[in-house]
Amino acid sequence: MSGFATRSWEGLTIPAPGTYQLDPAHKRIGFLARHMMVSPVRGEFAAATAEITVADDPLESSVTATIDTTSITTGSADRDAHLSSADFLDVANYPTLEYRSTGIGRLETEDPIFFWARLKGYRQGLRDGGSPASRQAAGRFVLSGELTVKAVTRPVDLQVEFGGARRDPYGQEIFGFSASAEINREDYGLLWNVALETGGVLVGRTVQIEIAGEAIRQP
């Protein structure tokens, strides 16, 4: 086969322009919420589709995704049934969640450990220490978009980490990524809760979104 469908952009090897679809065999659409204010409970949606359009200008790329709410799983049949009920996702009437991107930008901030490493390098006179380019978080982006849950649409920004692009053993052009965000479920009308006698609530209002996957270039 001919060369890889990749290109160089601002120090990264990124996918060539085109349409890519989420690989169902290599994905996780997960979430985390707190139970009794003390313990994290993780779950995921087993079925989801996404289409990523990689543009000539990478910062003009876009994403649309559809998540099957009936595929929710948390490791507990009773909990899954409750989350599927009208108290929460009401999957009988709202069988999907939808996400549509509205913009993308480079993430300019760094984790503290990288900041101090860069500062140490600057003090030692290492090349490129403290330059504007080095302050960009390599391979990290902010994907702005809109999430629709139960016919309610709210803006959600995903913190995205690009994992790299290559050809897999089957000759497919792929790239990997992970993403995270936090939402308040009550913003989408998911209001069910129980007040605890000791203070707080049974189910946390904040939900962390955890996404990982690969996308495959389409013909």
Side-chain angles (χ1 to χ4, degrees), residues 137-205:
R140 298 176 67 197
F141 300 85
V142 177
L143 184 68
S144 300
E146 296 178 335
L147 176 66
T148 300
V149 180
K150 294 178 70 172
V152 177
T153 301
R154 295 282 185 269
V156 172
D157 288 347
L158 290 168
Q159 307 292 306
V160 179
E161 183 168 352
F162 173 65
R166 63 178 59 223
R167 178 176 292 156
D168 71 13
Y170 306 102
Q172 300 178 114
E173 304 291 346
I174 67 169
F175 69 89
F177 60 90
S178 59
S180 62
E182 283 191 357
I183 63 172
N184 184 333
R185 63 183 177 85
E186 293 186 347
D187 290 344
Y188 297 92
L190 280 65
L191 304 176
W192 185 92
N193 228 325
V194 174
L196 302 175
E197 292 183 1
T198 54
V201 291
L202 182 66
V203 182
R205 296 181 177 90

Side-chain angles (χ1 to χ4, degrees), residues 31 41-44 71-81 83:
F31 57 88
V41 174
R42 277 187 163 86
E44 65 179 277
S71 70
I72 191 169
T73 176
T74 65
S76 166
D78 289 342
R79 182 166 55 224
D80 294 348
L83 292 174

Side-chain angles (χ1 to χ4, degrees), residues 3-216:
F4 295 110
T6 59
R7 53 188 164 146
S8 180
W9 178 78
E10 296 194 5
L12 296 173
T13 299
I14 65 170
T19 300
Y20 296 74
Q21 291 185 357
L22 184 65
D23 181 357
H26 297 96
K27 64 157 179 53
R28 182 177 186 272
I29 313 297
F31 57 88
L32 179 151
R34 289 201 169 269
H35 177 250
M36 297 285 290
M37 308 295 292
V38 296
S39 62
V41 174
R42 277 187 163 86
E44 65 179 277
F45 296 94
T49 60
E51 183 170 284
I52 303 167
T53 301
V54 177
D56 290 330
D57 177 353
L59 298 184
E60 295 294 328
S61 301
S62 61
V63 180
T64 58
T66 298
I67 299 167
D68 181 355
T69 58
T70 67
S71 70
I72 191 169
T73 176
T74 65
S76 166
D78 289 342
R79 182 166 55 224
D80 294 348
H82 192 195
L83 292 174
S84 298
S85 74
D87 285 342
F88 288 97
L89 293 174
D90 192 7
V91 303
N93 292 305
Y94 303 98
T96 64
L97 311 176
E98 306 288 337
Y99 185 80
R100 179 182 67 87
S101 69
T102 56
I104 186 171
R106 290 293 294 269
L107 187 64
E108 299 292 338
T109 58
E110 297 175 308
D111 291 333
I113 189 172
F114 296 120
F115 170 79
W116 289 112
R118 180 171 56 79
L119 183 61
K120 180 180 179 182
Y122 175 77
R123 287 174 174 169
Q124 292 175 345
L126 296 180
R127 186 176 62 181
D128 198 35
S131 72
S134 70
R135 286 195 292 271
Q136 286 189 331
R140 298 176 67 197
F141 300 85
V142 177
L143 184 68
S144 300
E146 296 178 335
L147 176 66
T148 300
V149 180
K150 294 178 70 172
V152 177
T153 301
R154 295 282 185 269
V156 172
D157 288 347
L158 290 168
Q159 307 292 306
V160 179
E161 183 168 352
F162 173 65
R166 63 178 59 223
R167 178 176 292 156
D168 71 13
Y170 306 102
Q172 300 178 114
E173 304 291 346
I174 67 169
F175 69 89
F177 60 90
S178 59
S180 62
E182 283 191 357
I183 63 172
N184 184 333
R185 63 183 177 85
E186 293 186 347
D187 290 344
Y188 297 92
L190 280 65
L191 304 176
W192 185 92
N193 228 325
V194 174
L196 302 175
E197 292 183 1
T198 54
V201 291
L202 182 66
V203 182
R205 296 181 177 90
T206 299
V207 178
Q208 297 179 26
I209 298 172
E210 306 170 328
I211 300 171
E214 293 178 7
I216 303 173

